[in-house]
Amino acid sequence: MRMDRRGLMLGGVMGSAALAPSLGQAASGGGAVQPTPQVFNVRDFGAVGDGATIDSPAINKAIDHVAARGGGMIHFPPGTYACYTVRLKSNITLHLGEGAVILAATPNGVAPNGYDDPGPGAGNAYQDYGHSHWSNSLFFGEGLHDVSIIGTGLIWGRGLTRGHRFPGDAPDISGPGVGDKAIALKNCRNVLLRDFKMLQAGWFALLATGVDNMTIDNLVIDTNRDGLDIDCCRNVRVTNCTINSPFDDGICPKSSFALGYARPTENVTISDCYLTGNYEIGSVIDGTWRTMPPGHHGYGRIKLGTESNGGFKNIAITNCVFDHCYGIALETMDGGLTEDIAISNITMRGIGFPPLFLRLGSRMRGPDGVPVGKLRRIVIQNIVSYAATPQPSLIVGVAGHPVEDVKISDVYFHQLGGGSAELAKRQPPEADKAYPDPDMFGDLPATGFFIRHARNIEMSNVEVVVDKPDARPAFWMKDVQEVDLFRLRLPKGPSFHLEDVTAFRSFGSRWLKDQQFDGTQTRNW
């Protein structure tokens, strides 16, 4: 069942440079070159590709055959391959050729003519059903190594449920025969996902849990819920991706308790990606870019959390564009340590939520006895935001557990403004255990930054502009220690509301007199 000479030539055209890292075929020391990977055609194993025949049995047969021979590539020529669960194996590359569509078939709820049983999973004590089960997916792999899906084809999750009832969704049910994820990987290593497109990809286009050494590059994801969920993973690179997710988050690192223990997500780079929630599903892939109806404001953002038992460490987010979606969110709610985060070179336009949301809370959805976590050592620089919500950016901790060591520099935040003098007097609730989103506190009494329960906050070259006159102060701070502000440009009007602020300095700013005190003060100016 090996491909003929023409097929092997096709394999060479696909690019040995892309294949070698995923299959462990890189040149070894001393210049010795490893053999070219074997290439197989999925149609030789009985796949039809007519959009009606269920081809997953033939695809799984091909995967078993190639895995038994030590690994290789399985090529999908043009066609529509209707599938239930495809079970991945180690040392396998799936190549989706141009014109190849892997179609998630509509579930009928009767195994084996449906998706794999979700199994016991992790249970749902600390996270929802979707995060707790993996095998009920279009593509599934557990405990694997050296797995790749590459090529310019399409994964279409038409038959997957997204976990909520919306018009046009697959049935909102769970159990045998139903799939809710396009790709689910658990406890895997050396994973490559590159160049393909994903349409209407269910609850998660990708749920990767406990996956190490993963590269995600040049994907186009046009989906009806989450794009990339990177949960309890290490050594991950996400680059050059376009993600349209009008109803949920675009790129969402998490650190849940789904593995049965807390494991941080760490050593992650997200760069050169486009995030939006502004377009009808499918219109980004087909190139028509049809905007959502008036009044709709999609999520589309990059968010760390909310699942945060293990925390986040050593994360870099850079060179990304946010278009009519939400802003950046760092959320530590369940006892994890979130630290050493660098965010730079981001442009945002039409942001429905504040540009920045840094939240340390005490929801503590995890085993008893775990202390409140930490959110610290955050550096944010070179951010441009235009036409954002009237809500300010937030840096909010818990009484006795401050957000710490935040440095923000060279940012321009254009806000819609329009806040009233009455709103400027509001004292927002603590809401320590509420679901973390910027609207959890209601309307806020600031135009630029709302900061509460924080320590060691430094800002330089920060400009806040309002589109409409706003009676709220640019900065509202309460229970904040060690504030250093340099070269601010703020709207003319009230600049600061301070309550129980200790060791404060503001200097070198346009229209503002330098201010400094080392004790604790409550004052306005």
Side-chain angles (χ1 to χ4, degrees), residues 215-274:
T215 297
I216 302 169
D217 180 59
N218 197 37
L219 302 189
V220 178
I221 300 174
D222 204 348
T223 191
N224 46 353
R225 203 163 174 194
D226 274 13
L228 304 174
D229 274 41
I230 299 164
D231 190 6
C232 305
C233 297
R234 293 174 178 164
N235 306 327
V236 178
R237 305 291 175 266
V238 181
T239 54
N240 305 308
C241 292
T242 295
I243 302 177
N244 177 48
S245 52
F247 301 106
D248 220 320
D249 300 316
I251 301 176
C252 197
K254 298 180 177 180
S255 59
S256 73
F257 209 80
L259 294 174
Y261 60 94
R263 188 180 199 253
T265 288
E266 57 186 328
N267 304 334
V268 177
T269 300
I270 300 170
S271 69
D272 302 282
C273 293
Y274 173 76

Side-chain angles (χ1 to χ4, degrees), residues 351-352 354 388-393 415-419 423 444 446-448 470 472:
I351 302 301
T389 171
Q391 293 280 59
S393 292
Q415 306 286 116
L416 295 181
L423 178 56
L444 294 172
T447 59
D470 200 307
R472 299 171 296 171

Side-chain angles (χ1 to χ4, degrees), residues 184-413:
L185 302 171
K186 180 182 179 184
N187 290 331
C188 297
R189 55 187 169 87
N190 301 341
V191 173
L192 173 64
L193 306 174
R194 176 175 286 162
D195 293 338
F196 55 87
K197 298 174 285 291
M198 304 183 77
L199 171 65
Q200 199 176 338
W203 195 335
F204 307 92
L206 169 70
L207 176 63
T209 309
V211 177
D212 295 347
N213 307 334
M214 177 167 58
T215 297
I216 302 169
D217 180 59
N218 197 37
L219 302 189
V220 178
I221 300 174
D222 204 348
T223 191
N224 46 353
R225 203 163 174 194
D226 274 13
L228 304 174
D229 274 41
I230 299 164
D231 190 6
C232 305
C233 297
R234 293 174 178 164
N235 306 327
V236 178
R237 305 291 175 266
V238 181
T239 54
N240 305 308
C241 292
T242 295
I243 302 177
N244 177 48
S245 52
F247 301 106
D248 220 320
D249 300 316
I251 301 176
C252 197
K254 298 180 177 180
S255 59
S256 73
F257 209 80
L259 294 174
Y261 60 94
R263 188 180 199 253
T265 288
E266 57 186 328
N267 304 334
V268 177
T269 300
I270 300 170
S271 69
D272 302 282
C273 293
Y274 173 76
L275 290 305
T276 183
N278 194 40
Y279 299 96
E280 293 183 7
I281 296 168
S283 69
V284 172
I285 285 178
D286 70 18
T288 58
W289 298 85
R290 300 183 303 275
T291 58
M292 295 291 288
H296 175 87
H297 210 293
Y299 286 75
R301 61 186 166 183
I302 296 176
K303 179 180 78 171
L304 276 62
T306 61
E307 290 76 8
S308 49
N309 302 88
F312 306 92
K313 301 179 181 181
N314 217 28
I315 312 291
I317 301 170
T318 190
N319 296 346
C320 292
V321 173
F322 290 54
D323 182 15
H324 288 85
C325 56
Y326 289 178
I328 290 174
L330 310 180
E331 303 172 357
T332 299
M333 302 297 296
D334 304 315
L337 302 181
T338 296
E339 55 192 13
D340 306 319
I341 313 295
I343 300 170
S344 63
N345 303 338
I346 309 293
T347 179
M348 305 182 184
R349 178 177 59 186
I351 302 301
F353 267 11
L356 303 175
F357 179 53
L358 280 60
R359 174 58 167 152
L360 170 63
S362 57
R363 179 178 64 179
M364 309 311 292
R365 191 171 65 181
D368 293 338
V370 175
V372 174
K374 292 186 179 295
L375 178 56
R376 61 190 179 186
R377 300 198 296 271
I378 314 296
V379 175
I380 299 171
Q381 60 184 353
N382 297 338
I383 311 292
V384 176
S385 172
Y386 177 75
T389 171
Q391 293 280 59
S393 292
L394 295 89
I395 303 172
V396 183
V398 177
H401 301 276
V403 178
E404 303 175 89
D405 311 322
V406 178
K407 297 182 183 296
I408 298 175
S409 64
D410 301 299
V411 301
Y412 184 102
F413 288 165

Side-chain angles (χ1 to χ4, degrees), residues 39-115:
V39 182
F40 301 81
N41 190 320
V42 72
R43 290 182 181 265
D44 291 338
F45 296 85
V48 178
D50 62 2
T53 303
I54 300 300
D55 283 325
S56 42
I59 296 170
N60 286 320
K61 180 181 178 182
I63 291 173
D64 291 343
H65 176 85
V66 177
R69 298 172 65 94
M73 170 184 285
I74 299 172
H75 171 65
F76 290 75
T80 299
Y81 302 87
C83 295
Y84 293 121
T85 299
V86 173
R87 305 177 194 99
L88 302 171
K89 290 196 173 182
S90 298
N91 297 315
I92 296 292
T93 291
L94 303 184
H95 179 267
L96 311 183
E98 186 67 32
V101 178
I102 310 299
L103 173 66
T106 301
N108 59 17
V110 181
N113 298 316
Y115 299 91

